[in-house]
């Protein structure tokens, strides 16, 4: 067992876990944050994506130890007091979520994408979401959601 | 009267959408119960044989574990399907790789991994058959060693789960007509087409949590399973058999489901029974959730298929007759194969008029895990063959693919191959005109023909015309006898009670829209109950594109009934506001306590179906479509990509444009995967590439812009004119894409999935290393034979 500390959705957290336990399981089992999903367990689908120091990572590939001292954001940290973040609102309105299992990862990937490119081109969107698989939507509604979120983004249009 | 917002045709927010974007929606793996244990499955490592010996390694303290074998099953060792040939757990004989033999439970997931490794099984191996052809050869050669499924027990024949023969007209007359048609034909065109298995690849794997309750004598009193699934009542019926319990003692609850596509139609009966057995024996709730590798290796896929067509055609391009034979690979047990085959058979003739037609079809047994439901359910297979073949005919007789289809389309008032009159408006000519215009088809045909002469990247366009029957086949809906309830909540808001499930396609939303529109209420006031069989009636399975049209119509009728009740007994005024509705509802509740409206499916009076002759009204309604694909084939890398896709369909009234578009786009994406990316690699019946790393589904970077277009022709069958759309988009992409590839390269490919290595191999075997094979003569095409009977 190791003690691992990180800043999770703005709050300091400390857990006692086996050092090689997957961050995904730490979040889901130890911290009961089940918004982060498991689709494949091998880094292919992005359902388990979280932001670590602002970078999108697949939490199924990250040993707990590696999270030590980092700043983490999961889907639970995207909204504030139950108010949807504009990205979430756009996914909701534009049909970006169907079954919803890829949605948390997709929203975090969008978050990072719009941080990097406030006005993304279609290629940048396709590229930026390339690590997040969605079997339901065929991605078109997701692209629309991202574009709409970019249009609402105060940083965009500059 | 207040403004009615968000009725049919508007796009209100998905009912459970907020929870989903917040990450707050709870899927099965997000739930746990007090004292819950975890389950795991011990599976066969061989394809066929007999279990000789089970060995439990002594490095494990087995007293900590619950171990379930077939002997523990209190009822029948069978998974409820049409035929009870599918054991819940293998007891002696193994018929496919990854067949479940033992179940384990333990409080710790990690401990289960060790235990699985400590069990070894010895077998006597028997020879297996792994393809349709091997299964047929065994029958033809009367090779008893390779007769893997003894049909005599099940009113079928060796290695063959089911056969159908469908004539368009009376059998003898058709046979005579066919002989004449082939004698008189200017051209006889033959072709063989095949499709591979396809994994549903929902992003959430199969999973359930089961509980078992005992009475004071310690006897099993009831079981309860919650999980990811499409059809709660299918699992109820499976539990009834396995536990020998009455229906009301088998409770099933659907929780948020992360994609299904057919893959959670029949399979939850297996995993749900397994978890319930573990709960029974361990005395704990048991969670059984597969990981990706297990889900891909052990659960159902789309049936591989082979379709052969022999067609008689006139010089002018009139179809005179066809002999079609369809074979599908059902895997080791019958499961849903007879029904999949039925849909493949009925869709095989496509949206065309065939004066004389015979379709013969069969589902063969092989030693691979049983194939099952996947969006389209047999139709994508036979329509792939047909729509590739239509292009072959056109090429052979020297007319355009468009002209050939225009000369033979079914139209309003015509009869389908099963003899069903097309009473409602059908206008394939108009659909084709519009689809080709939306895709700039003609302009591109001309432009690419020029550009391809000099470019190493060959571009092309192709299309497919097709239809998909909505609802269960033939007398299916009559047999389902679906029921829906509509109740009032204590605050007066109406709540829909159905077993129809939401798994992304929008059930919750469209059923609430249907009710809101019929009740003249805002969408937000209507709620829908969680599908829990202790509360909701059986509104049939959530499959076969039936929910919007069939269940939606029932919801509409229940709503009308509720308005009638409230106006008769609670003074609900005409043209009510929502406030007036709520007040009337509360008045009614104060007086009567509860209000539940219950309605049942009523078959349209004129519908008739003959199961013996396979004739009559096959489906209550059809959705019609023309899909156009544009492709680029790089003759240096041999890769084919879709560069634009146009999907035009007539699906009745569109209830929710945003959801409808999402359904079509998602289906088209799966169709593109089916055609160009998704290949199951089989090794002695075991899926060797059972990982997302090497089974490739389209990513956001692989898909072209998908343009969705609707023609709206309201249908009399659905609520406010809606028809089903769920499966339709799976049918068209593969043939449209391969037609486009032929247009681009001149080479006709007749098997999917079509990967770069297949293109490479084919181009080289034809001796055209650069693929610019305009000079290729269709008559020498190696996959098909074309005879010209009259010069
Ligand atoms: S679960 Fe981590 S990438 Fe799929
Ligand atoms: S919405 Fe179902 S996988 Fe993306």
């Amino acid at each position: 067992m190791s003690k691992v500390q990180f800043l999770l959705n703005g709050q300091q957290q400390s857990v006692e876990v086996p050092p090689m336990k997957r961050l995904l399981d730490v979040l889901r089992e130890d911290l009961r944050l089940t918004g982060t999903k498991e689709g494949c367990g091998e880094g292919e689908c992005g359902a388990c994506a979280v932001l670590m120091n602002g970078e999108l990572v697949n939490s199924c590939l990250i040993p707990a130890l590696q999270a030590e001292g980092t700043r983490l954001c999961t889907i639970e940290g995207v909204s504030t007091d139950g108010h949807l973040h504009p990205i979430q609102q756009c996914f909701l309105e534009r049909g970006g979520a169907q079954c919803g299992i890829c949605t948390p990862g997709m929203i975090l990937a969008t978050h990072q994408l719009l941080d990097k490119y406030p006005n993304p081109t279609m290629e940048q969107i396709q590229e930026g979401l390339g690590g997040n698989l969605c079997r339901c939507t065929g991605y078109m509604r997701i692209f629309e959601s991202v574009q709409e979120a970019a249009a609402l983004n105060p940083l965009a249009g500059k | 009267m207040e403004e009615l917002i968000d009725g049919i045709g508007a796009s209100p927010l998905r009912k459970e959408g907020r929870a989903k974007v917040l990450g707050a929606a709870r899927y099965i793996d997000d739930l746990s119960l007090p004292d819950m244990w975890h389950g795991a499955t011990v599976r066969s490592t061989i394809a066929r044989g007999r279990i000789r010996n089970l060995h439990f390694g002594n490095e494990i303290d087995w007293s900590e574990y619950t171990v379930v074998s077939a002997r523990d099953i209190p009822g029948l060792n069978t998974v409820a399907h049409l035929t009870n040939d599918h054991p819940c757990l293998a007891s002696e004989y193994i018929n496919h790789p990854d067949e479940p033999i033992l179940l384990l439970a333990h409080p710790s997931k990690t401990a289960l991994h060790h235990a699985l490794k400590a069990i070894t099984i010895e077998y006597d191996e028997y020879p297996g058959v792994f393809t349709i052809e091997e299964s047929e050869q065994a029958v033809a050669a009367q090779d008893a060693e390779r007769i893997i499924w003894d049909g005599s027990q099940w009113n079928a024949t060796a290695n063959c789960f089911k056969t159908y023969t469908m004539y368009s007209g009376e059998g003898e007359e058709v046979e005579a007509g066919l002989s004449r048609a082939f004698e008189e034909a200017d051209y006889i065109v033959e072709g063989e087409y095949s499709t591979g298995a396809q994994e549903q690849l929902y992003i959430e794997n199969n999973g359930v949590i089961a509980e078992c309750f005992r009475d004071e004598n310690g006897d099993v009193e009831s079981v309860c399973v919650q999980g990811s699934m499409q059809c709660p009542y299918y699992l109820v019926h499976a539990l009834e058999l396995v536990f020998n319990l009455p229906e009301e003692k088998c409770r099933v609850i659907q929780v948020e489901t992360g994609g299904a596509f057919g893959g959670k139609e029949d399979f939850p009966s297996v995993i749900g029974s397994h978890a319930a057995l573990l709960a029974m024996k361990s005395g704990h709730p048991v969670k059984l959730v597969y990981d990706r590798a297990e889900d891909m290796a052990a659960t159902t896929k789309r049936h591989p298929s082979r379709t052969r067509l022999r067609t008689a055609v006139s010089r002018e391009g009139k179809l005179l007759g066809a002999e079609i034979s369809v074979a599908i690979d059902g895997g080791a047990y019958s499961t849903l194969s007879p029904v999949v085959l039925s849909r493949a058979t009925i869709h095989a003739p496509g949206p065309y008029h065939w004066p004389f037609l015979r379709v013969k079809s069969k589902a063969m047994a092989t030693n691979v895990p049983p194939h099952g439901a996947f969006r389209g359910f047999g139709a994508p297979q036979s329509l792939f063959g047909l729509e590739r073949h239509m292009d072959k005919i056109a090429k052979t007789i020297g007319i355009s693919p468009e002209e050939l289809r225009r000369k033979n389309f079914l139209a309003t008032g015509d009869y389908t191959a099963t003899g069903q009159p097309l009473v409602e408006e059908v206008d394939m000519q108009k659909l084709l005109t519009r689809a080709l215009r939306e895709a700039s088809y003609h302009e591109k045909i001309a432009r690419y023909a020029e550009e391809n002469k000099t470019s190493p990247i060959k571009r092309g366009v192709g299309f497919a015309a097709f239809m998909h029957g909505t609802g269960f086949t033939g007398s299916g809906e009559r047999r389902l006898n679906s029921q829906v309830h509509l109740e009032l909540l204590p605050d007066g808001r109406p709540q829909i009670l159905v077993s129809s499930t939401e798994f992304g396609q929008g059930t919750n939303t469209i059923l609430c829209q249907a009710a809101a529109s019929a009740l003249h209420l805002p969408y937000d006031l209507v709620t829908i109950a969680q599908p829990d069989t202790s509360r909701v009636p059986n509104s049939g399975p959530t499959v076969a594109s039936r929910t919007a049209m069939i269940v939606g119509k029932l919801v509409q009728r229940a709503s009308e009934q509720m308005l009638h009740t409230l106006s008769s007994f609670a003074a609900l005024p005409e043209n009510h506001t929502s406030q007036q509705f709520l007040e009337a509802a509360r008045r009614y509740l104060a007086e009567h306590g509860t209000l539940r409206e219950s309605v049942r499916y009523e078959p349209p009076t004129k519908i008739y179906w003959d199961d013996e002759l396979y004739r009559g009204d096959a489906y209550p309604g059809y959705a019609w479509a023309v899909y156009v694909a544009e492709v680029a084939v790089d003759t240096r890398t041999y890769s084919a990509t879709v560069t634009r896709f146009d999907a035009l369909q007539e699906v009745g009234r569109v209830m929710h444009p945003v959801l409808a578009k999402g359904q079509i786009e998602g289906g088209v994406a799966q169709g593109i995967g089916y055609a160009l990316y998704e290949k199951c690699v089989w090794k002695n019946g075991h899926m060797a590439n059972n990982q997302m790393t090497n089974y490739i589904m389209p990513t956001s970077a692989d898909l072209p812009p998908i343009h969705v277009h609707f023609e709206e022709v309201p249908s009399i069958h659905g609520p406010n004119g809606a028809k089903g759309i769920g499966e339709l988009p799976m049918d068209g992409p593969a043939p449209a894409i391969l037609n486009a590839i032929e247009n681009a390269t001149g080479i006709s490919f007749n098997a999917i999935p079509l990967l770069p290595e297949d293109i490479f191999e084919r181009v080289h075997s034809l001796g055209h290393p650069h693929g610019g094979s305009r000079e290729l003569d269709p008559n020498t095409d190696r996959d098909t034979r074309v005879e010209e009977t009259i010069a």
Side-chain angles (χ1 to χ4, degrees):
Chain A
M1 288 289 185
S2 306
K3 185 168 166 166
V4 183
Q5 299 188 337
F6 40 74
L7 192 68
L8 175 62
N9 300 331
Q11 291 200 333
Q12 198 58 46
Q13 288 284 358
S14 165
V15 286
E16 281 281 334
V17 293
M20 293 310 285
K21 186 165 184 173
R22 305 183 304 173
L23 175 59
L24 171 64
D25 299 327
V26 175
L27 293 169
R28 290 178 52 85
E29 293 168 9
D30 298 79
L31 298 163
R32 309 275 339 132
L33 292 179
T34 54
T36 307
K37 306 299 180 192
E38 172 163 4
C40 67
E42 53 176 7
E44 281 294 320
C45 74
C48 64
V50 301
L51 297 175
M52 182 183 257
N53 296 330
E55 289 296 318
L56 192 72
V57 296
N58 286 329
S59 64
C60 70
L61 296 182
I62 308 266
L65 211 53
Q66 205 178 312
E68 172 66 33
T70 63
R71 183 164 44 83
L72 295 174
C73 175
T74 69
I75 187 68
E76 289 87 354
V78 173
S79 55
T80 21
D81 305 327
H83 290 293
L84 300 187
H85 184 281
I87 297 175
Q88 291 172 312
Q89 188 66 34
C90 293
F91 269 72
L92 177 58
E93 285 171 11
R94 298 281 158 152
Q98 287 192 16
C99 82
I101 197 82
C102 72
T103 308
M106 212 52 101
I107 285 175
L108 289 166
T110 305
H111 205 286
Q112 193 206 21
L113 173 75
L114 295 183
D115 272 354
K116 239 199 221 157
Y117 309 108
N119 266 318
T121 61
M122 190 45 109
E123 287 70 46
Q124 286 165 338
I125 297 177
Q126 289 185 291
E127 200 49 37
L129 303 182
N132 292 73
L133 296 179
C134 175
R135 189 56 153 172
C136 296
T137 61
Y139 306 103
M140 300 298 131
R141 311 281 96 216
I142 293 178
F143 297 161
E144 247 189 64
S145 308
V146 175
Q147 283 168 328
E148 178 73 10
L152 294 176
N153 188 342
L155 296 175
K158 290 189 187 157
Chain B
M1 184 179 158
E2 70 198 276
E3 265 287 84
L4 268 184
I5 42 158
D6 301 338
I8 307 276
S11 287
L13 298 183
R14 171 183 280 285
K15 277 283 169 192
E16 75 296 344
R18 194 181 152 82
K20 283 176 173 173
V21 299
L22 281 169
R26 294 279 170 264
Y27 301 79
I28 193 67
D29 204 21
D30 304 335
L31 304 171
S32 72
L33 295 177
D35 296 319
M36 187 180 79
W37 285 21
H38 295 274
T41 311
V42 179
R43 300 180 178 281
S44 62
T45 49
I46 62 160
R48 183 162 176 249
R50 187 160 177 267
I51 300 169
R52 195 177 339 129
N53 185 17
L54 293 163
H55 180 74
F56 292 81
N58 46 21
E59 65 271 36
I60 299 283
D61 177 2
W62 292 102
S63 69
E64 287 179 5
Y65 291 79
T66 293
V67 181
V68 164
S69 73
R71 276 196 307 275
D72 294 302
I73 295 174
L76 290 179
N77 181 11
T78 188
V79 181
H81 297 295
L82 306 157
T83 303
N84 289 340
D85 62 331
H86 185 192
C88 184
L89 289 170
S91 55
E92 184 177 358
Y93 293 102
I94 299 298
N95 286 302
H96 64 81
D98 305 294
E99 183 158 9
I101 299 170
L102 296 174
L103 305 166
L104 307 179
H106 190 277
S108 142
K109 259 197 269 183
T110 338
L112 284 168
H113 290 305
H114 301 307
L116 282 176
K117 289 198 193 105
I119 295 177
T120 40
I121 304 177
E122 287 169 48
Y123 307 93
D124 295 321
E125 271 195 74
Y126 301 160
V129 298
F130 301 106
T131 60
I132 294 171
E133 286 70 27
E134 286 174 18
S135 187
E136 288 172 332
Q137 279 155 18
V139 178
Q142 298 189 341
D143 178 354
E145 284 222 298
R146 287 179 177 75
I147 298 301
I148 62 158
W149 192 79
D150 170 21
S152 59
Q153 241 183 306
W154 314 106
N155 197 14
T157 58
N159 281 7
C160 184
F161 298 126
K162 186 76 188 174
T163 59
Y164 295 104
T165 304
M166 181 176 98
Y167 288 105
S168 78
E170 207 261 306
E172 268 169 49
E173 271 170 33
V174 175
E175 288 294 352
L178 274 174
S179 315
R180 234 184 12 257
F182 280 98
E183 266 162 37
E184 290 167 3
D186 295 318
Y187 294 90
I188 295 173
V189 184
E190 296 187 28
E192 181 177 311
Y193 308 88
S194 63
T195 63
Q198 187 185 20
E199 164 59 35
Q200 293 89 355
L201 214 72
Y202 29 70
I203 304 295
E204 179 209 32
N205 294 314
N206 271 285
V208 294
I209 297 175
E211 296 166 274
C212 177
F213 304 96
R214 291 176 186 268
D215 61 19
E216 58 272 22
N217 305 322
D219 294 331
V220 173
E221 190 182 29
S222 65
V223 289
C224 175
V225 181
Q226 48 183 318
S228 182
M229 69 187 79
Q230 294 174 239
C231 313
Y233 276 94
Y234 278 7
L235 178 50
V236 168
H237 297 138
L239 294 168
E240 282 176 53
L241 288 192
V242 168
F243 286 88
N244 191 23
L245 285 171
E247 176 171 331
E248 64 280 8
K249 297 293 181 193
C250 301
R251 176 180 176 195
V252 175
I253 305 165
Q254 187 237 7
V255 302
E256 204 68 74
T257 295
F261 318 113
K264 295 170 185 173
E265 173 173 348
D266 48 324
F267 198 80
S269 298
V270 177
I271 188 173
S273 301
H274 287 174
L277 287 167
L278 284 170
M280 173 195 79
K281 195 160 177 193
S282 68
H284 291 269
V286 173
K287 179 190 273 191
L288 188 53
V289 175
Y290 293 162
D291 66 12
R292 182 58 60 184
E294 184 173 23
D295 195 291
M296 288 179 85
T299 75
T300 61
K301 317 233 169 318
R302 184 187 300 289
H303 291 70
S305 77
R306 180 195 68 206
T307 300
R308 291 182 174 142
L309 290 111
R310 181 164 182 264
T311 46
V313 192
S314 80
R315 203 187 304 275
E316 296 74 36
K318 263 300 204 190
L319 301 174
L320 306 175
E323 297 166 354
I324 305 179
S325 57
V326 181
I328 63 172
D329 170 353
Y333 299 108
S334 171
T335 67
L336 290 170
S337 292
V339 209
V340 170
L341 186 68
S342 151
R343 203 169 263 272
T345 308
I346 294 174
H347 285 74
Y352 307 108
H353 175 68
W354 300 91
F356 299 99
L357 171 89
R358 181 208 315 125
V359 184
K360 273 181 167 295
S361 61
K362 59 185 176 185
M364 301 301 294
T366 60
N367 295 112
V368 303
H371 293 301
F374 189 166
R375 195 179 209 168
F377 209 71
Q381 287 95 319
S382 58
L383 283 168
F384 171 74
L386 177 74
E387 281 301 282
R388 281 296 294 132
H389 193 73
M390 289 299 281
D391 269 31
K392 166 137 304 230
I393 295 174
K395 196 170 181 178
T396 308
I397 69 176
I399 64 174
S400 71
E402 176 185 357
E403 193 185 345
L404 175 68
R405 287 173 175 87
R406 287 200 189 278
K407 286 198 161 133
N408 297 284
F409 273 144
L410 288 171
T412 318
D414 286 350
Y415 287 81
T416 67
T418 63
Q420 174 170 4
L422 293 171
V423 184
E424 296 196 78
E425 184 190 325
V426 182
D427 195 344
M428 289 301 290
Q429 304 285 357
K430 183 165 131 197
L431 292 187
L432 182 56
T433 304
R434 181 168 164 209
L436 298 184
R437 191 183 63 231
E438 299 277 5
S440 310
Y441 174 87
H442 292 113
E443 179 203 316
K444 281 173 185 161
I445 289 267
R447 177 147 56 92
Y448 295 151
E450 237 357 85
E451 289 173 7
N452 285 346
K453 286 179 186 158
T454 51
S455 169
I457 295 181
K458 312 288 179 198
R459 294 181 189 279
V461 277
F463 67 91
F466 55 101
M467 77 299 184
H468 198 98
T470 292
F472 264 40
T473 305
S475 21
E477 288 298 339
R478 201 188 306 247
R479 273 198 299 268
L480 282 176
N481 197 13
S482 299
Q483 193 178 20
V484 317
H485 292 166
L486 186 68
E487 289 185 355
L488 287 178
L489 295 175
D491 63 6
R493 284 178 305 151
Q495 181 166 60
I496 301 165
L497 289 99
V498 288
S499 63
S500 308
T501 50
E502 170 70 51
F503 36 91
Q505 72 306 28
T507 298
N508 289 346
T509 306
I510 54 155
L511 292 183
C512 288
Q513 275 183 288
S517 145
L519 289 166
H520 306 294
L521 286 177
Y523 164 81
D524 283 342
L525 272 191
V526 182
T527 62
I528 184 162
Q530 181 178 34
D532 172 345
T533 60
S534 72
R535 267 199 85 203
V536 301
N538 190 348
S539 58
T542 310
V543 302
S545 312
R546 64 184 291 280
T547 304
M549 178 160 141
I550 307 279
V551 184
K553 187 78 175 183
L554 295 178
V555 166
Q556 187 186 31
R557 279 177 41 212
S559 305
E560 287 159 1
Q561 215 168 287
M562 180 171 273
L563 283 188
H564 183 74
T565 307
L566 290 179
S567 65
S568 310
F569 300 101
L572 176 70
E574 247 178 80
N575 295 332
H576 58 267
T577 63
S578 28
Q579 201 46 42
Q580 287 168 327
F581 179 94
L582 292 174
E583 283 162 12
R586 288 185 214 125
R587 270 198 301 280
Y588 187 96
L589 291 176
E591 198 171 325
H592 303 270
T594 54
L595 173 56
R596 167 188 285 181
E597 302 293 355
S598 177
V599 298
R600 269 197 189 278
Y601 178 74
E602 278 166 15
T605 41
K606 276 183 280 174
I607 283 219
Y608 115 95
W609 176 255
D610 185 330
D611 257 326
E612 283 297 299
L613 292 175
Y614 237 60
R615 290 195 61 68
D617 299 322
Y619 300 100
Y622 292 87
W624 306 89
V626 177
Y627 282 10
V628 190
E630 187 183 319
V631 301
V633 183
D634 188 327
T635 54
R636 295 156 306 188
T637 62
Y638 303 97
S639 71
T641 43
V642 182
T643 49
R644 176 186 166 114
F645 203 94
D646 283 86
L648 168 69
Q649 46 262 306
E650 189 276 282
V651 292
R653 183 84 192 281
V654 175
M655 294 184 76
H656 189 299
V658 170
L659 288 184
K661 274 192 179 175
Q663 278 296 288
I664 302 297
E665 290 158 354
V668 167
Q670 289 175 351
I672 292 174
Y674 188 40
L676 296 180
Y677 298 97
E678 300 179 31
K679 181 175 192 146
C680 295
V681 179
W682 299 103
K683 275 215 181 93
N684 290 330
H686 168 75
M687 185 186 185
N689 57 334
N690 57 333
Q691 287 175 294
M692 281 184 170
T693 328
N694 45 21
Y695 179 90
I696 306 303
M697 65 159 269
T699 71
S700 58
D702 298 323
L703 291 174
I706 300 169
H707 300 271
V708 178
H709 319 281
F710 293 107
E711 279 291 329
E712 296 195 48
V713 182
S715 159
I716 49 166
H717 295 292
N720 300 62
K723 294 194 281 200
I725 73 169
E727 295 172 288
L728 178 81
M730 192 68 224
D731 297 345
I737 291 165
L738 269 73
N739 287 346
I741 291 177
E742 179 164 5
N743 174 245
T745 63
I747 307 176
S748 95
F749 291 95
N750 295 324
I752 51 167
L754 181 68
L755 272 53
E757 54 262 38
D758 305 311
I759 300 181
F760 172 87
E761 194 182 297
R762 180 67 182 287
V763 166
H764 283 269
S765 75
L766 288 169
H768 295 278
H770 299 296
S773 38
R774 309 227 127 256
E775 65 278 26
L776 264 189
D777 178 354
N779 294 309
T780 63
D781 190 304
R782 68 162 190 185
D783 284 349
T784 58
R785 279 186 305 130
V786 179
E787 312 157 18
E788 207 170 311
T789 54
I790 300 174

